[in-house]
Amino acid sequence: DRGRARADIREGYEAGRTYIRRYDEKKDYLIKTGEFAECQRAYLGEAMPPPQLPPTAVFVGSEAVRGVECEHWVDEMFESRTHIYIDAARHMPIMVVDTMLQADGSEEKLMSYEYDDIVLGEPD
């Protein structure tokens, strides 16, 4: 069975939320925990995107992230820049950081995604 994805948000603005995308059943779920717990279901009409880097991403070098040697890729579109860090040994994402380019050439960090506890294969 393919076409399933799940993300558990542990920190930040969306902490306590779980997103489950069932591309195989065309269903999208949002589960909120806490004081105002709820579950929302929506139609998911898109196909599951392939697990690949954007075709416009450029390799900029190697860098250690959280003690893991990673390939560092950068994808730019207009005023945004996305830094993608891929575990060089396991070929799995470790972190993605979205930034906005400033007039002076600096970058303002907008949000970051840290991947941990990744399990490849069919869900339980």
Side-chain angles (χ1 to χ4, degrees):
D1 290 306
R2 294 177 185 238
R4 302 179 198 183
R6 174 181 170 154
D8 297 305
I9 312 301
R10 297 185 185 133
E11 297 179 24
Y13 177 73
E14 295 191 282
R17 294 182 183 194
T18 297
Y19 293 91
I20 300 173
R21 301 196 108 189
R22 293 292 309 262
Y23 294 93
D24 58 335
E25 295 181 358
K26 298 191 177 296
K27 294 180 182 171
D28 192 15
Y29 298 93
L30 166 58
I31 302 165
K32 297 178 187 176
T33 59
E35 185 178 353
F36 302 104
E38 67 176 311
C39 179
Q40 299 173 2
R41 184 181 72 194
Y43 174 73
L44 181 60
E46 61 192 55
M48 185 171 191
Q52 63 187 21
L53 288 167
T56 53
V58 176
F59 178 73
V60 295
S62 297
E63 188 174 328
V65 176
R66 296 189 337 244
V68 176
E69 191 62 28
C70 294
E71 298 174 356
H72 181 187
W73 295 79
V74 173
D75 189 41
E76 289 188 31
M77 184 179 295
F78 305 108
E79 294 86 27
S80 70
R81 180 178 288 160
T82 303
H83 296 267
I84 305 162
Y85 300 92
I86 306 291
D87 182 324
R90 297 179 357 156
H91 307 288
M92 294 176 29
I94 294 293
M95 183 185 307
V96 176
V97 179
D98 288 325
T99 65
M100 179 182 287
L101 298 174
Q102 304 298 302
D104 65 1
S106 65
E107 296 179 55
E108 180 181 350
K109 187 175 176 181
L110 299 176
M111 70 178 102
S112 63
Y113 306 87
E114 293 188 22
Y115 299 89
D116 61 0
D117 194 23
I118 295 174
V119 179
L120 296 178
E122 295 185 27
D124 296 337

